[in-house]
Every structure is written in structure tokens, then in C-alpha cells.
Amino acid sequence: MSKKIRTIEQFSDEVDQIKRWRKKELALMKGQIEGSRESMSKQKVNLRAGHLLLYAHWEGWIKEISKLYLRYINSQRITYSKINSIFLASALKSDILEFQESGKSNIHIDFVNKLSGVYSSNKRVIIKEDLIQTYSNLSYDILKDILLRLDMKDIVDRENLELYEVYINKELVGRRNSIAHGEYIDDYDMQAYKEMHDFVINTLDNISTEIVNRVINERYIKV
């Protein structure tokens, strides 16, 4: 059963815990790689293992903190009439999919009737946490889609994530897939690993901080 997060303090503490253990594990892995520099073959093995761990936290961190954000919003018992349009769309996603896929007029009419009443409804919004999907392959496009679903388009722009699209897809995700499939990698050294380590930590840190700020400022509420 998911832990209930109802207050800003609880949410912030939970985010800190997520960050703390993941950063600690990555720091230990980095230290292990640096400590094996005297043996080229040993360091190559550690670099492969280190990259797999980097990707694991890249995907796990995003998934965990995004679902935590939705869980917090759900705990606030916000009504359909007060939630902002981005989260309203997420709450209505299953209905929207049925509307798109159906050719039946009664489905379309029922959806429009429901939608017209939503904006004045005092019914509590529930956003399903399983809307956050990384598909075990957190590429740039999937990350961007998750951030847009969380009403964080401005973060995509502010962090200039588009500039890192190839880096994320090829160097982070692509290399992880190659290693996971048992392919030999010979173009990965300590410097490349450190750059990837810093990119992962900084990007996820910034996203986490921004989500906490959005909780504090109630950015999920309709203006």
C-alpha cells in the first residue's frame, strides 16, 4: 500500500529520502570505479556496471518522484472544478482514449456531456499513478511526455533538455541497452562516465526541486 503524503513537509521529506539514497549509491559506485583505475580491465567492468546503475536511477528516480507528485495531488482532495487543465486531462485520460478510439456516436455524446459537467463538478479528482510510464526505456521523448503530463513544459525549456536529446538517447539509454544486451563497449572511459554521472544527478536534482516548488505554490490548481 502506498504511503500517504498529505502535507508539504511530508512531501518534501519524501523527496529528500528519494534523493539521498540514490545519490549515496551512485557516489559509492563512482568511488568504486575511481578506485579501480590501476587495473584497466577491472575499471572497464566497473564502468559497465556503473553505467547500468546510472540508468537505473535515471529511470527509477523520475518514475518515483512523478508518481509521488500525483499521489500528493490526489491526497489534497481537489475537485474537478479547481484542478488545472493539464491534470484534468490526465484525470480524464481513459475517457479521452475511449472517445478517440470509438466510432460510436453515443460514446462521443456521453463524453461531451461528462466533460461539460466536469468544470462545475465538486467531485474529487483522482489521477492514476500508472499514467507515469517509462517503458523501461526512459528516452528524451518519454521524459518530455512525463514532464508535460506533470505540467512542467517550462522546465523542459528552462533546462534546455532539447539540447541533450541525442546525449540522452544515444549515450545514456543507447549505451545502457547495449551493455544490458551483452555487447562489448570499448569507447567508454572515466571522463565520459563522470560527465554522465554529473548530468544525471544535476538534471534529476533540478526536476525534483521544481516539483517541490510546485507543491509549495500549488501549481496544480486552476488559476
Side-chain angles (χ1 to χ4, degrees), residues 8-40:
I8 294 173
E9 290 75 18
Q10 288 174 331
F11 184 84
S12 182
D13 288 345
E14 195 71 15
V15 170
D16 285 343
Q17 289 181 33
I18 291 170
K19 292 165 60 175
R20 190 179 304 117
W21 82 266
R22 292 182 183 279
K23 284 184 175 181
K24 181 179 180 180
E25 193 164 282
L26 289 174
L28 288 171
M29 187 73 243
K30 184 180 178 183
Q32 182 173 310
I33 295 172
E34 290 174 330
S36 62
R37 68 182 65 197
E38 293 181 3
S39 170
M40 184 64 68

Side-chain angles (χ1 to χ4, degrees), residues 2-211:
S2 297
K3 182 178 179 182
K4 293 183 179 179
I5 308 293
R6 291 197 174 97
T7 68
I8 294 173
E9 290 75 18
Q10 288 174 331
F11 184 84
S12 182
D13 288 345
E14 195 71 15
V15 170
D16 285 343
Q17 289 181 33
I18 291 170
K19 292 165 60 175
R20 190 179 304 117
W21 82 266
R22 292 182 183 279
K23 284 184 175 181
K24 181 179 180 180
E25 193 164 282
L26 289 174
L28 288 171
M29 187 73 243
K30 184 180 178 183
Q32 182 173 310
I33 295 172
E34 290 174 330
S36 62
R37 68 182 65 197
E38 293 181 3
S39 170
M40 184 64 68
S41 58
K42 185 176 181 180
Q43 186 170 77
K44 282 185 177 295
V45 171
N46 283 331
L47 282 169
R48 289 166 64 84
H51 190 81
L52 290 177
L53 191 63
L54 269 177
Y55 175 81
H57 284 296
W58 168 257
E59 180 178 323
W61 188 331
I62 285 292
K63 184 186 293 185
E64 188 174 14
I65 198 167
S66 299
K67 290 188 174 186
L68 182 70
Y69 187 25
L70 294 185
R71 195 185 317 157
Y72 176 82
I73 293 173
N74 287 336
S75 76
Q76 300 307 295
R77 307 182 70 84
I78 305 164
T79 62
Y80 278 95
S81 59
K82 292 183 179 178
I83 198 78
N84 76 24
S85 60
I86 301 297
F87 290 108
L88 176 61
S90 291
L92 293 173
K93 184 183 178 184
S94 60
D95 294 316
I96 293 171
L97 287 175
E98 185 179 14
F99 178 86
Q100 289 177 330
E101 295 170 0
S102 176
K104 297 180 179 180
S105 59
N106 66 304
I107 296 293
H108 298 165
I109 293 169
D110 288 346
F111 174 76
V112 171
N113 287 336
K114 182 175 182 178
L115 190 61
S116 63
V118 155
Y119 291 101
S120 59
S121 173
N122 288 320
K123 184 179 178 181
R124 175 189 170 192
V125 168
I126 298 293
I127 305 172
K128 295 180 180 179
E129 291 181 31
D130 62 10
L131 287 176
I132 304 299
Q133 294 290 339
T134 57
Y135 305 101
S136 300
N137 203 50
L138 187 55
S139 63
Y140 168 78
D141 285 338
I142 295 174
L143 173 64
K144 182 179 178 181
D145 184 71
I146 290 173
L147 293 177
L148 294 181
R149 186 172 296 285
L150 298 178
D151 193 19
M152 296 177 68
K153 182 183 184 304
D154 53 324
I155 302 307
V156 175
D157 298 334
R158 190 187 312 163
E159 295 296 316
N160 293 317
L161 287 179
E162 286 189 1
L163 299 179
Y164 295 97
E165 180 175 1
V166 174
Y167 188 66
I168 292 171
N169 292 344
K170 182 179 178 181
E171 303 300 328
L172 178 54
V173 181
R175 182 176 284 122
R176 169 262 190 179
N177 291 340
S178 295
I179 295 172
H181 293 153
E183 296 177 20
Y184 180 71
I185 303 293
D186 195 40
D187 61 344
Y188 198 41
D189 57 19
M190 190 64 205
Q191 182 60 36
Y193 174 83
K194 285 183 177 180
E195 290 174 1
M196 183 63 71
H197 176 276
D198 291 344
F199 170 76
V200 168
I201 292 291
N202 292 336
T203 301
L204 297 179
D205 237 347
N206 292 341
I207 290 172
S208 301
T209 298
E210 184 56 36
I211 288 179

